[in-house]
Amino acid sequence: MSSSNWTTDFLSQLSTDITVIQIDTASTTLWQIESHAWQRFAEQAVQQNLRWAAGWAEQVDSQFFINTCFEKHGEYVLLRTIVDDSSPELPSQATVYPAANRSERHTQDLFGIKFVGHPDNRRWTRHQAWIENSYPLRKDFPVQGRPVGITPPDINYPFIKAHGAGVYEIPVGPVHAGIIEPGHFRFQAVGELILNLEERLGYTHKGIEKIAEGREPESLAKLAGRVSGDTAVGHCWAACMAMEQAAGVLIPPRAALIRGILAERERIANHMGDIGAICNDVAFVFAQMQFTRLRELWLRTNATVFGHRLLMDQIVPGGVACDLSNESCALIMKDIVELRTELAEVILALDLNSSLEDRLYTAGFLSEEIAAAFGTLGYVGRASGQDKDVRRDAPYAPYDQVTVKVALETQGDIASRFWIRYKEIRTALYLIEKFIDQLVAGDIRSDWQIPLAGSEGLGIVEGWRGEIISHIRFDADNKIARFYPRDPSQLNWPALEKLVLNNIVPDFPVCNKSLNGSYSGNDL
């Protein structure tokens, strides 16, 4: 990626005591600084309106590489500092960027890196699964762990307390009445009015980052597709993009178009499910049944054409695993025509329903300022004025061949997040048609080239929830040394704690569904 005006200007404005080593790669720009300047860099970055996008660490020999990804105007900068593993610490960026808060806690828990001045150093990812001074993402920690018996319950987590006349506390979860993944929500309320909400996640921690170590590219792609089951295409694409950058592999044009079709089909299926679920949470069951029916028909076509309802394992390093015949293309186009017709009828019934409007409009308000501070992504951010979409702003094949119309709302309420989803369905249908029209004859997979040890890549794609970032570093013999996937939910979940304030407790389910963060995508 070439340096733009903002990167040049930003470098020229940095404090004289911040030394930046600029390393250009094929995919992004890497800036390396001294650890003592870590927080001061963030202070200057926020003044220049850089968005904090992701943060992670990795152990390389006897050192820790701590990484932060920033973005502005569709260009990404990977900031890196290196600290010794004997007593690793550096200033916290979370005091400047609220979006960095949980990421730094995750790194602190799993690597033992201390972020000095962090506003909240409570355990986040670890719960009680590992003893003190035991850090599972360090290289000397075995993948099977060091079990010492039954894990004690996490009953002493110091939730924030509220006091006063009429204030009471409501614990919800981690086990819920519905068939969903576990997450704990602790409310303070007066009557039905929510004063505060605090989340406790991490109950489905799967050890994704640890079990990725030592895998070969195809095995890593399968693992990436299971970071969050509803985002199999998005995460697998980002991981494969990172591996392909590291290996210097270019995918064939036909494979890129098929990847685009897969991603947009995933987007449509999930948005239809979400629209129906939002309606169900306010007792509009008719709409929920209609969108469930439409989604089911869509998933059946996935199974017929691609062999999997959720499109798992269709993206592979170097391309895709399955081709599209003329008959399959015709079936997909037929589905699009039928879905457009049905959507037009169903959405009219929703738009004219005053009871639905009463529950969705003004509820769950998320201001543009808070959305920006927390770096919210996808439909959550775009419903609160965050005009960002990787497909348009940093286009990758095949999106660099089409015009992506990005839906944007500024009201910031549940209704905005509802309508953003509907508009994104319409855009996705258009994009699938364009990709099918542009399908050219050719290979669907390039030969793999074994990357050099130490080679790394950064894959950035627009998943259905928003921007996905995957970092991969290779070891020797085609093996993965480090894999870090940043799901959009990691940045969107904290926004839920803000958008429910001053709403009533019975509106929490629909507020939560309007955000629909992935528990699994957060709980690596």
Side-chain angles (χ1 to χ4, degrees):
M1 183 180 295
S2 61
S3 180
S4 68
N5 289 333
W6 81 257
T7 55
T8 302
D9 292 344
F10 186 81
L11 282 173
S12 67
Q13 295 173 19
L14 288 177
S15 300
T16 55
D17 62 343
I18 297 179
T19 303
V20 174
I21 302 173
Q22 184 167 340
I23 306 171
D24 289 317
T25 68
S27 60
T28 190
T29 301
L30 172 63
W31 293 350
Q32 185 173 314
I33 67 172
E34 296 297 323
S35 61
H36 67 82
W38 191 248
Q39 186 183 61
R40 290 205 303 279
F41 182 98
E43 291 169 349
Q44 293 185 273
V46 77
Q47 292 176 8
Q48 298 298 317
N49 296 316
L50 273 66
R51 176 175 64 90
W52 192 99
W56 66 96
E58 54 180 321
Q59 187 175 15
V60 179
D61 298 324
S62 61
Q63 297 176 315
F64 289 113
F65 290 9
I66 297 93
N67 306 284
T68 300
C69 187
F70 292 93
E71 180 271 339
K72 184 177 180 180
H73 301 327
E75 294 203 33
Y76 292 81
V77 167
L78 179 59
L79 182 70
R80 175 172 295 162
T81 192
I82 301 175
V83 298
D84 189 77
D85 67 358
S86 59
S87 182
E89 66 176 42
L90 74 162
S92 170
Q93 292 183 342
T95 56
V96 182
Y97 283 97
N101 187 306
R102 292 180 180 177
S103 173
E104 289 187 352
R105 290 170 70 185
H106 178 79
T107 298
Q108 179 174 273
D109 287 352
L110 300 190
F111 280 97
I113 298 170
K114 180 181 179 181
F115 289 90
V116 179
H118 193 284
D120 182 1
N121 61 2
R122 293 173 295 173
R123 281 191 177 190
W124 177 246
T125 303
R126 296 180 67 187
H127 289 210
Q128 302 299 321
W130 301 283
I131 61 175
E132 292 290 341
N133 302 317
S134 182
Y135 304 108
L137 283 187
R138 292 193 179 188
K139 294 298 184 183
D140 60 356
F141 192 91
V143 69
Q144 70 273 17
R146 299 188 180 102
V148 293
I150 298 176
T151 300
D154 193 37
I155 58 176
N156 295 316
Y157 185 78
F159 286 100
I160 294 172
K161 300 291 184 181
H163 303 279
V167 176
Y168 65 100
E169 189 173 77
I170 308 171
V172 178
V175 178
H176 298 275
I179 306 175
I180 62 174
E181 292 179 283
H184 184 80
F185 303 97
R186 186 67 61 94
F187 297 88
Q188 278 80 40
V190 172
E192 290 191 325
L193 188 68
I194 298 173
L195 298 179
N196 187 65
L197 167 64
E198 190 171 1
E199 301 162 357
R200 181 74 165 129
L201 306 176
Y203 295 94
T204 56
H205 179 75
K206 305 173 292 296
I208 290 285
E209 297 168 279
K210 190 68 177 182
I211 63 177
E213 296 175 4
R215 290 180 178 241
E216 294 191 344
E218 287 216 24
S219 177
L220 190 280
K222 286 181 177 291
L223 179 65
R226 288 154 177 82
V227 167
S228 182
D230 56 14
T231 317
V233 174
H235 273 291
C236 192
W237 192 344
C240 285
M241 181 186 290
M243 290 190 288
E244 289 152 5
Q245 288 175 3
V249 172
L250 297 177
I251 67 171
R254 186 175 180 88
L257 289 163
I258 294 174
R259 283 185 178 185
I261 293 169
L262 290 165
E264 298 310 314
R265 288 194 67 87
E266 180 173 80
R267 192 182 317 278
I268 290 168
N270 283 297
H271 282 335
M272 286 198 292
D274 274 6
I275 290 174
I278 289 171
C279 292
N280 185 61
D281 276 344
V282 294
F284 191 17
V285 180
F286 165 78
Q288 192 266 340
M289 295 303 296
Q290 293 304 313
F291 277 98
T292 298
R293 176 179 62 85
L294 294 174
R295 180 176 182 271
E296 174 62 24
L297 294 173
W298 195 256
L299 295 180
R300 289 180 183 182
T301 299
N302 283 352
T304 299
V305 174
F306 299 103
H308 198 290
R309 288 165 58 86
L310 300 183
L311 305 174
M312 285 187 174
D313 305 328
Q314 301 308 301
I315 294 180
V316 294
V320 293
C322 62
D323 205 350
L324 280 176
S325 65
N326 291 335
E327 293 76 15
S328 294
C329 290
L331 177 58
I332 291 173
M333 296 294 276
K334 178 175 176 288
D335 258 15
I336 290 175
V337 172
E338 292 177 352
L339 182 57
R340 277 203 182 105
T341 301
E342 295 236 35
L343 277 177
E345 296 177 358
V346 175
I347 210 69
L348 183 62
L350 273 61
D351 197 23
L352 296 176
N353 189 297
S354 59
S355 296
L356 183 64
E357 290 183 355
D358 288 343
R359 295 296 304 275
L360 303 187
Y361 283 93
T362 72
F365 173 69
L366 181 69
S367 70
E368 292 188 32
E369 293 76 17
I370 292 178
F374 283 90
T376 51
L377 300 169
Y379 50 80
V380 178
R382 288 191 283 270
S384 293
Q386 306 307 299
D387 190 11
K388 298 184 182 298
D389 190 306
V390 183
R391 296 172 298 174
R392 179 200 61 191
D393 302 334
Y396 46 97
Y399 297 103
D400 55 355
Q401 304 170 36
V402 296
T403 299
V404 179
K405 184 178 180 180
V406 178
L408 188 68
E409 299 275 348
T410 56
Q411 293 89 338
D413 57 5
I414 296 173
S416 293
R417 294 187 281 277
F418 177 99
W419 288 109
I420 285 285
R421 285 170 163 92
Y422 172 66
K423 293 175 182 178
E424 290 194 355
I425 289 174
R426 294 177 59 180
T427 296
L429 292 172
Y430 164 79
L431 290 173
I432 293 173
E433 289 176 324
K434 296 294 291 185
F435 294 154
I436 288 178
D437 288 343
Q438 295 176 12
L439 272 179
V440 292
D443 295 333
I444 61 170
R445 190 172 186 180
S446 298
D447 292 335
W448 185 250
Q449 302 174 26
I450 297 178
L452 297 175
S455 298
E456 61 183 309
L458 196 66
I460 306 174
V461 304
E462 186 72 21
W464 75 274
R465 280 192 178 92
E467 171 198 74
I468 296 171
I469 296 179
S470 282
H471 174 261
I472 285 179
R473 183 184 299 278
F474 276 92
D475 208 339
D477 301 323
N478 206 32
K479 300 293 180 62
I480 302 297
R482 180 72 170 107
F483 170 51
Y484 175 74
R486 202 274 289 132
D487 188 87
S489 303
Q490 295 178 28
L491 294 177
N492 286 350
W493 270 119
L496 179 64
E497 296 181 341
K498 304 301 180 182
L499 65 86
V500 300
L501 299 181
N502 298 316
N503 287 259
I504 60 174
V505 174
D507 275 347
F508 171 70
V510 68
C511 287
N512 189 15
K513 179 50 67 177
S514 74
L515 183 135
N516 192 19
S518 169
Y519 297 87
S520 184
N522 181 88
D523 303 346
L524 299 180

